[in-house]
Amino acid sequence: MEEFSPFSGPNARKKQSGPGTALLNAQEFDPIAAVGGVRAIAEAVIPTLVFLVLFIILKDHILPACISLAVCLLFAVLRLIKKITVLPAVGGILAMALSVFIVRKTGNSSDFFVIGLATNAIYAGGILLSILLRRPLPGIVLGYFRGEKMQWVKGENMARTRLCYYSIAWIWFAVFGSRLIVQMPLYLADSTEILGLAKLFMGLPVTMLALYFSWMLLRRLPGKARAHDAGQISG
């Protein structure tokens, strides 16, 4: 049930760090590493896939939802056994538990996906608002990683960096917005099977694509606080 968001979550390098750091440092783009590796992919995809398959087979939504929650708990236990931080799994467990609660309360199978829709709406709204306020969220995060802090916002010599950060913000707004445009009508129509497939196909594949375009934009910028941006940062 976990929704991937830009520049947060598990790392894209062998040593744990954020994907924001990986996008800055990677010489070649690795889509699997960019979203956190095989473990993160499994934790994001399998619970939804389990629900969808069992829902189609059993024609019921309560039991599949509960089994999906059990799968999330299993992933957390495996992390404990491997002595890996369980924090990335906690969000998935909480979202799944809330989804199970909502489904049991409403009796509507499509409500299994309502948390994901709400998450996408929050991300889309937050990014759009940050753009309108001229403080695009991806730029704030990337500015921290690159050592620019907030000087890229108005720096006269940082127009290239600003354009990059705004472009990345629009990319991620498009990701979350497109999910809402496609999935919300399916949710309202109670098309659970198609909604589940849409969530899977518009999840990791679209995230990987957005990360790739973000990486392409970032690699054209000077390194941390150097080249034409350096004077503004150090000044």
Side-chain angles (χ1 to χ4, degrees):
M1 288 294 294
E2 181 180 358
E3 291 287 344
F4 282 94
S5 62
F7 321 114
S8 64
N11 117 80
R13 295 177 67 86
K14 291 183 179 179
K15 294 184 179 180
Q16 294 291 329
S17 61
T21 304
L23 287 175
L24 289 172
N25 297 332
Q27 297 300 313
E28 295 183 1
F29 183 77
D30 184 343
I32 294 178
V35 294
V38 175
R39 181 186 296 275
I41 292 174
E43 291 175 351
V45 172
I46 291 179
T48 299
L49 188 60
V50 166
F51 172 83
L52 186 58
V53 171
L54 292 178
F55 174 78
I56 294 173
I57 294 174
L58 301 177
K59 303 301 180 183
D60 177 70
H61 54 274
I62 301 299
L63 181 59
C66 291
I67 293 176
S68 295
L69 176 58
V71 171
C72 289
L73 293 171
L74 177 61
F75 280 131
V77 171
L78 291 175
R79 280 180 171 268
L80 288 173
I81 293 174
K82 293 284 188 179
K83 296 183 179 180
I84 303 173
T85 176
V86 297
L87 289 179
V90 171
I93 292 173
L94 293 176
M96 185 64 71
L98 185 56
S99 296
V100 172
F101 175 78
I102 293 173
V103 165
R104 288 180 63 87
K105 280 292 185 180
T106 65
N108 185 354
S109 60
S110 293
D111 283 335
F112 180 79
F113 301 102
V114 73
I115 299 301
L117 289 170
T119 301
N120 282 300
I122 291 171
Y123 281 138
I127 291 176
L128 180 59
L129 179 61
S130 72
I131 292 173
L132 295 177
L133 294 175
R134 299 183 179 180
R135 300 292 189 278
L137 288 175
I140 294 175
V141 176
L142 289 166
Y144 168 79
F145 280 115
R146 283 170 51 86
E148 302 153 353
K149 301 195 182 298
M150 295 297 292
Q151 297 192 36
W152 59 269
V153 175
K154 295 182 179 180
E156 294 181 0
N157 298 323
M158 302 187 73
R160 183 177 172 187
T161 299
R162 266 196 306 278
L163 178 60
C164 174
Y165 291 170
Y166 271 95
S167 298
I168 291 174
W170 281 115
I171 287 173
W172 287 98
F173 172 74
V175 168
F176 300 119
S178 63
R179 288 173 180 169
L180 288 173
I181 291 172
V182 172
Q183 297 176 26
M184 185 59 74
L186 296 173
Y187 168 75
L188 295 175
D190 200 23
S191 301
T192 304
E193 298 93 335
I194 301 177
L195 177 57
L197 291 173
K199 176 180 172 61
L200 289 173
F201 283 108
M202 298 189 73
L204 284 176
V206 173
T207 297
M208 290 177 179
L209 189 62
L211 284 169
Y212 172 74
F213 284 118
S214 299
W215 173 77
M216 286 290 291
L217 288 169
L218 285 170
R219 70 197 297 259
R220 296 177 181 177
L221 290 181
K224 296 179 183 178
R226 68 169 189 244
H228 65 277
D229 289 349
Q232 185 65 28
I233 297 171
S234 60

